């Protein structure tokens, strides 16, 4: 489909749908020079995006402006269609441009860990490791490659806007979208998503950070009221967005489904206007999550610029409100200006889409390379890993469909696997957005290829005694355990589902040389931890996950990832041991993307009383010992930390990290701070890190400049940030729970 087909069909469509089409959505083709002329002064690329937007805006009618402020339906979703939906290139949404002025349509696609809906559209996309996995690399260059790959594949498939860049903090680890986000720390999550966005947008797609904000659980996501103090919001979830926006300069922010302190996030003046556009000076546009718009005047005044995917509130109703004087023209101009300047900023106008073949090989390389850095080695007793090719004669591979593939995360993030779902008969692919999809990336095959001298056998793990028997007769047993997550649901618990704990128990009893490989989208509890020799967290591993995993298991590549979220011992240790269930009257309308105009107000709410104590801060403050702490990850080599120095004036922390082992590796050296007593914080915060490559015996000086914002507190009285005077304790080391180096920074 696309531009050419639309041109051919245009007279017919216009005839049939005349009253719906004040704007003709054809995208102008050709380079910017060719189109720059006296009557199109906005094509002058030496002007700023704001100047260019102003020049176009002056030429636009009210209908054309309003056309920029809403969607035109959602491909593949029968109840969200308009006569223009078929033009959307198969994506989740489209906003029509202004053809007569050379302003293109905005073609939006979901693209969390790769471009969505490629299967339905007969295309191909690379699946990267989950966002949480990539965050575990703590590597900003990897985040950049991640974003650039998605940007390239969006463009190749005919899109010019991503609906990606999830950065909701992991406040609730059972959240079904945890794998789409970047973990529990605002600095790590914000920095990673910012670098991802920066490089994605550089490919000439509009970057989008989502879901703003406090959309931290999926249960009742369309109705839940998140109750949270301004201080807690500012220092946690909002801070992650702010850091991401500062680094990545994304042209768009998607507001979320939930309510925040009473008002829906897409009509919340505090978060949209006061903070995002006011305090942070965000100049791009805010689009609603799909069906997340609930009003016309209120949403418009609060700072929503673009309704998706329909025009229920920002179409004819918005025009009527302007005509009746209920919405001032200045508000419409501001919304339209924001959309236009975003198009100029990200290059949509100057670089029209040209569809092309996705660079499959390059994508696979990138996916593998990032996954190799994302895998976290959690336990390695007596050096059971890496597998020694000359010593290991036989390996039992058990469970997790490891003979055919590895599991992926579902919902609107889902990337379609080439060849279909590996555990279904050929030809049967995903039919539902919450299908459990296994990529055809078989760890069994990858390990056989990596260890040709070993006898490697597979047991499905469905019969515990036969699995145990195979484990017993093998040198080593590797159990593959998976946990599936998706948008639109939360996990009932962090326990591995489907009897997998019993399987691991049985195998570990039969052979203590058991390694567990986890394919999970969030933390899991591990009642069997003491009985197994090794644990490897592979996350949702992407299109080349099996090869990356085999490389780490065999030591071809050293393990370097570190957890971007805490793994608790039990749900009892979480701020909320259970997620409050929906009330009877709310059941059935809380979780899907289905919040229609007629939705009745709900009383369902969640109080985020833990406030600023998200993730590791909570465990430390509450004296709860986690199973694995934030920032933790082992390596096949060892490192030592020494010589911490601080420069209070410049806020620089420097120290030496040495590779004391025999293998090359990369160490993520982490720096934390404990604020002066006046801050009232009985926990440390991450204030910086550096990922350093070190050869055997090599030492390097790590130097981290701490951003004063990371040492500041939000003061509700003065509605601003304060850098308190006093002594700041500085701690550095390999994880949040191990910080051998101590020093101070003094703020006078
Ligand atoms: C999700 C968004 C997504 C949108 C469009 C919604 O259900 O919450 O993350 O971008 O659908 O598919």
């Amino acid at each position: 489909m696309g531009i050419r087909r639309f041109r051919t069909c245009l007279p017919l469509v216009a005839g049939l749908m005349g009253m719906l089409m004040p704007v003709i959505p054809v995208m102008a083709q050709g380079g910017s020079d060719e189109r720059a002329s006296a009557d199109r002064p906005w094509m002058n690329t030496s002007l700023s995006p704001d100047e260019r937007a102003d020049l176009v805006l002056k030429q636009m009618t009210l209908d054309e402006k309003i056309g920029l402020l809403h969607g035109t339906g959602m491909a593949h979703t029968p109840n969200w269609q308009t006569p223009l939906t078929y033009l959307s290139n198969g994506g989740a949404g489209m906003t029509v441009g202004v053809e007569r002025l050379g302003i293109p349509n905005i073609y939006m696609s979901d693209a969390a860990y790769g471009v969505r809906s490629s299967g339905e559209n007969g295309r191909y996309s690379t699946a990267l490791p989950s966002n949480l996995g990539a965050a575990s690399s703590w590597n900003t260059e990897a985040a950049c490659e991640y974003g650039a790959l998605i940007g390239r594949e969006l463009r190749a498939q005919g899109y010019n806007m991503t609906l990606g860049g999830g950065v909701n903090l992991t406040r609730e680890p059972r959240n079904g979208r945890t794998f789409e986000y970047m973990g529990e720390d605002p600095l790590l999550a914000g920095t990673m998503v910012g670098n991802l966005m920066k490089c994605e947008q550089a490919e000439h797609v509009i970057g989008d950070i989502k879901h703003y904000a406090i959309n931290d659980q999926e249960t009742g996501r369309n109705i839940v009221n998140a109750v949270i103090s301004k201080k807690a919001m500012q220092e946690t979830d909002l801070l992650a967005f702010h850091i991401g926006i500062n680094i990545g300069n994304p042209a768009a922010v998607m507001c979320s489904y939930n309510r925040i302190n009473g008002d829906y996030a897409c009509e919340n003046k505090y978060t949209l206007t006061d903070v995002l556009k006011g305090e942070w000076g965000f100049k791009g546009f805010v689009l609603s999550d799909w069906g997340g718009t609930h009003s016309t005047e209120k949403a418009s005044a609060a700072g929503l610029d673009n309704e998706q995917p329909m025009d229920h509130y920002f179409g004819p109703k918005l025009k009527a409100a302007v005509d009746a004087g209920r919405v001032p023209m200045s508000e419409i101009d501001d919304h339209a200006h924001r959309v236009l300047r975003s198009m100029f900023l990200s290059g949509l106008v100057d670089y029209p889409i040209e569809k092309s073949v996705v660079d499959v090989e390059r994508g696979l390389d990138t996916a593998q390379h990032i996954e190799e850095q994302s895998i976290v080695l959690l336990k390695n007793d007596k050096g059971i890993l890496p597998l020694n090719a000359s010593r290991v004669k036989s390996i039992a591979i058990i469970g997790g469909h490891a003979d055919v593939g590895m599991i992926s995360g579902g919902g609107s993030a889902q990337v379609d696997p080439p060849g279909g779902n590996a555990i279904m008969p050929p030809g049967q692919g995903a039919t539902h957005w919450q299908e459990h999809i296994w990529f055809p990336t078989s760890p069994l095959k990858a390990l056989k290829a990596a260890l040709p001298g070993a006898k490697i056998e597979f047991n499905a793990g469905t019969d515990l005694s036969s699995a145990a028997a195979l484990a017993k007769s093998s040198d080593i047993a590797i159990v593959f355990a998976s946990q599936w997550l998706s948008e639109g649901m939360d996990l009932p618990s962090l326990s591995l589902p489907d009897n997998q704990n019993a399987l691991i128990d049985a195998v570990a009893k039969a052979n203590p040389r058991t390694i567990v490989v986890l394919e999970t989208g969030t933390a899991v509890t591990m009642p069997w931890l003491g009985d197994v020799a090794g644990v490897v967290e592979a996350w949702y591993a992407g299109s080349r996950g099996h090869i990356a995993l085999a490389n780490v298991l065999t030591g071809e590549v050293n393990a370097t990832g570190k957890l971007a979220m805490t793994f608790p011992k039990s749900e009892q240790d979480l701020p909320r041991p259970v997620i409050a269930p929906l009330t009877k009257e709310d059941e059935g309308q809380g979780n899907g993307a289905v919040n229609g105009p007629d939705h009745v107000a709900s009383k369902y709410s969640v109080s985020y009383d833990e406030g600023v104590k998200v993730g590791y801060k909570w465990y430390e403050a509450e004296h709860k010992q986690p199973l694995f702490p934030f920032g933790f990850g082992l390596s096949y080599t060892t490192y030592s930390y020494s010589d911490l120095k601080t420069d209070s004036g410049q806020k620089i922390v420097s120290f030496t990290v040495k590779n004391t082992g025999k293998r090359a590796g990369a160490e993520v050296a982490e720096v934390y701070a404990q604020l002066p007593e006046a801050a009232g914080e009985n926990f440390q915060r991450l204030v910086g890190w550096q990922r350093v490559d070190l050869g055997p015996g090599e030492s390097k000086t790590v130097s981290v400049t701490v951003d004063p914002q990371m040492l500041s507190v939000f003061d509700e009285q003065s509605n601003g940030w304060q850098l308190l005077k006093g002594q700041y304790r500085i701690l550095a080391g390999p994880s949040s729970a191990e910080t051998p180096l101590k020093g101070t920074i003094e703020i006078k």
Side-chain angles (χ1 to χ4, degrees):
M1 170 136 359
I3 298 147
R4 213 166 297 127
R5 155 126 184 242
F6 180 67
R7 277 190 173 141
T8 329
C9 302
L10 186 60
L12 175 66
V13 177
L16 292 172
M17 311 300 170
M19 77 293 184
L20 290 160
M21 296 187 59
V23 175
I24 295 172
V26 175
M27 193 169 81
Q29 296 286 297
S32 61
D33 290 343
E34 177 186 316
R35 287 176 290 151
S37 63
D39 52 343
R40 287 197 177 169
W42 51 87
M43 294 312 298
N44 178 350
T45 51
S46 65
L47 299 175
S48 71
D50 283 306
E51 289 167 325
R52 296 176 75 181
D54 280 339
L55 289 167
V56 183
L57 199 60
K58 280 194 196 129
Q59 305 296 320
M60 286 171 63
T61 64
L62 177 59
D63 282 330
E64 286 170 337
K65 290 175 188 172
I66 287 183
L68 291 180
L69 310 187
H70 61 77
T72 52
M74 186 178 191
H76 313 298
T77 305
N79 57 341
W80 271 343
Q81 301 281 308
T82 76
L84 299 184
T85 309
Y86 83 100
L87 293 169
S88 66
N89 190 42
M94 184 188 82
T95 282
V96 291
V98 190
E99 194 256 344
R100 71 177 182 92
L101 302 176
I103 301 301
N105 300 339
I106 307 179
Y107 299 97
M108 308 172 183
S109 174
D110 283 302
Y113 62 91
V115 182
R116 183 191 180 190
S117 290
S118 49
E120 286 166 305
N121 292 315
R123 303 177 191 136
Y124 165 88
S125 306
T126 307
L128 288 151
S130 65
N131 305 75
L132 178 65
S136 311
S137 74
W138 299 56
N139 185 352
T140 52
E141 281 168 30
C144 175
E145 286 175 43
Y146 196 107
L149 182 146
I150 294 178
R152 285 195 305 273
E153 295 197 359
L154 281 166
R155 295 271 310 183
Q157 296 187 32
Y159 298 108
N160 54 14
M161 176 164 175
T162 180
L163 307 170
V167 72
N168 295 81
L169 279 200
T170 305
R171 193 177 268 284
E172 170 49 74
R174 287 159 299 199
N175 178 355
R177 304 190 83 167
T178 303
F179 72 98
E180 290 186 54
Y181 301 139
M182 297 277 193
E184 68 192 25
D185 179 78
L187 179 62
L188 178 63
T191 305
M192 293 300 282
V193 85
N195 280 280
L196 188 158
M197 270 299 127
K198 183 170 71 185
C199 297
E200 189 166 344
Q201 198 165 270
E203 298 294 330
H204 310 306
V205 296
I206 291 181
D208 164 50
I209 289 200
K210 69 186 187 184
H211 307 86
Y212 186 73
I214 329 287
N215 180 188
D216 296 345
Q217 69 174 46
E218 288 293 280
T219 305
R221 66 174 179 166
N222 290 307
I223 51 178
V224 64
N225 182 24
V227 180
I228 183 168
S229 74
K230 280 188 183 166
K231 176 178 163 68
M233 218 187 306
Q234 287 271 2
E235 291 185 14
T236 60
D237 302 51
L238 296 195
L239 183 55
F241 277 92
H242 193 195
I243 294 170
I245 289 169
N246 276 346
I247 296 173
N249 193 21
V253 168
M254 184 190 290
C255 50
S256 52
Y257 285 130
N258 54 294
R259 288 176 286 156
I260 309 162
N261 295 330
D263 287 328
Y264 281 109
C266 291
E267 54 184 45
N268 193 303
K269 180 178 166 295
Y270 177 68
T271 50
L272 298 182
T273 296
D274 299 351
V275 178
L276 177 68
K277 295 180 176 179
E279 289 167 26
W280 304 348
F282 175 69
K283 290 174 141 194
F285 71 99
V286 175
L287 74 159
S288 72
D289 200 343
W290 267 228
T293 307
H294 298 275
S295 60
T296 301
E297 286 94 324
K298 183 174 178 184
S300 172
L304 178 69
D305 301 297
N306 180 288
E307 174 189 359
Q308 288 296 333
M310 299 294 286
D311 60 354
H312 292 145
Y313 296 101
F314 274 37
K317 282 188 188 163
L318 185 56
K319 188 174 179 200
V322 176
D323 289 342
R326 295 193 308 270
V327 170
M329 196 59 195
S330 57
E331 225 168 82
I332 300 294
D333 282 345
D334 180 54
H335 298 319
H337 174 97
R338 286 170 177 275
V339 176
L340 290 167
R341 65 96 61 190
S342 299
M343 292 199 212
F344 286 113
L345 176 82
S346 38
L348 258 60
V349 184
D350 301 324
Y351 300 88
I353 293 168
E354 284 172 38
K355 286 190 182 181
S356 59
V357 177
V358 168
D359 190 341
V360 179
E361 296 301 327
R362 185 173 173 192
L364 291 174
D365 263 11
T366 304
Q368 176 182 329
H369 177 64
I370 297 177
E371 172 64 4
E372 284 168 351
Q373 300 173 66
S374 306
I375 290 171
V376 185
L377 178 61
L378 292 173
K379 181 168 184 182
N380 192 15
D381 267 9
K382 300 194 191 102
I384 189 161
L385 287 168
L387 300 172
N388 185 324
S390 57
R391 264 188 268 141
V392 179
K393 299 283 177 270
S394 58
I395 304 176
I397 304 282
I398 296 167
H401 299 288
D403 54 334
V404 289
M406 296 178 89
I407 202 166
S408 59
S412 64
Q414 183 73 57
V415 175
D416 296 324
N421 191 344
I423 62 160
M424 291 175 99
Q428 286 184 29
T431 51
H432 185 259
W433 68 312
Q434 290 190 321
E435 200 88 50
H436 296 211
I437 308 268
W438 265 257
F439 264 67
T441 48
S442 159
L444 176 68
K445 287 185 193 151
L447 279 167
K448 280 187 172 172
L451 299 167
K455 183 174 158 218
I456 304 185
E457 286 176 278
F458 178 72
N459 180 291
T462 40
D463 173 51
L464 301 194
S465 55
S466 80
L470 179 64
K472 198 170 188 128
S473 64
S474 309
D475 288 347
I476 283 184
I478 308 181
V479 185
F480 285 81
S482 65
Q483 167 214 54
W484 178 80
L485 287 192
S486 168
E487 172 183 345
M489 58 154 266
D490 290 323
L491 290 172
S493 84
L494 295 176
S495 193
L496 282 169
D498 306 329
N499 217 26
Q500 294 178 98
N501 282 337
L503 173 66
I504 297 169
D505 266 343
V507 171
K509 280 208 178 74
N511 186 344
R513 290 171 61 76
T514 289
I515 297 159
V516 177
V517 172
L518 296 166
E519 297 168 25
T520 75
T522 181
V524 284
T525 48
M526 305 182 199
W528 34 259
L529 182 62
D531 302 325
V532 301
V535 181
V536 174
E537 176 57 85
W539 313 109
Y540 300 146
S543 291
R544 271 276 182 91
H546 56 322
I547 313 261
L549 178 67
N551 282 346
V552 171
L553 291 176
T554 57
E556 180 68 25
V557 169
N558 203 342
T560 56
K562 295 203 174 174
L563 294 178
M565 66 178 292
T566 309
F567 278 38
K569 281 193 173 148
S570 134
E571 293 81 6
Q572 293 310 314
D573 292 341
L574 298 174
R576 281 159 296 283
V578 274
I579 297 178
L582 294 179
T583 59
K584 261 234 146 350
E585 59 167 2
D586 288 327
E587 259 169 33
Q589 54 190 353
N591 298 353
V594 290
N595 205 351
D598 306 326
H599 189 77
V600 187
S602 156
K603 293 198 179 65
Y604 183 67
S605 72
V606 52
S607 288
Y608 289 124
D609 298 331
E610 75 281 7
V612 299
K613 291 181 283 181
V614 174
Y616 61 92
K617 295 168 185 164
W618 166 260
Y619 298 92
E620 189 186 341
E622 301 291 314
H623 308 291
K624 291 177 194 289
Q625 185 69 32
L627 190 63
F628 291 107
F630 173 79
F632 176 81
L634 300 169
S635 163
Y636 298 141
T637 186
T638 46
Y639 302 99
S640 71
Y641 283 70
S642 60
D643 299 330
L644 181 105
K645 295 190 186 70
T646 58
D647 174 336
S648 293
Q650 303 295 315
K651 300 180 192 59
I652 296 172
V653 179
S654 58
F655 50 93
T656 304
V657 182
K658 181 173 185 190
N659 181 343
T660 49
K662 295 197 177 72
R663 283 168 182 266
E667 170 70 338
V668 176
E670 302 163 33
V671 180
Y672 295 85
Q674 164 91 59
L675 269 54
E677 230 177 286
E681 293 186 359
N682 55 348
F683 51 84
Q684 60 186 356
R685 315 164 157 201
L686 180 74
V687 296
W689 78 89
Q690 201 173 309
R691 190 183 149 102
V692 261
D693 292 310
L694 291 165
E698 192 183 359
S699 304
K700 276 188 188 156
T701 303
V702 168
S703 178
V704 171
T705 304
V706 180
D707 183 334
Q709 165 106 59
M710 298 318 302
L711 300 173
S712 300
V713 289
F714 187 81
D715 176 51
E716 290 193 359
Q717 293 294 310
S718 59
N719 194 38
W721 290 84
Q722 288 180 342
L723 184 60
L724 301 170
K725 291 196 174 114
Q727 298 259 333
Y728 289 68
R729 197 152 173 255
I730 298 295
L731 308 99
S735 90
S736 63
E738 193 186 349
T739 47
L741 303 183
K742 321 267 185 235
T744 51
I745 278 183
E746 171 131 33
I747 307 285
K748 291 193 178 129

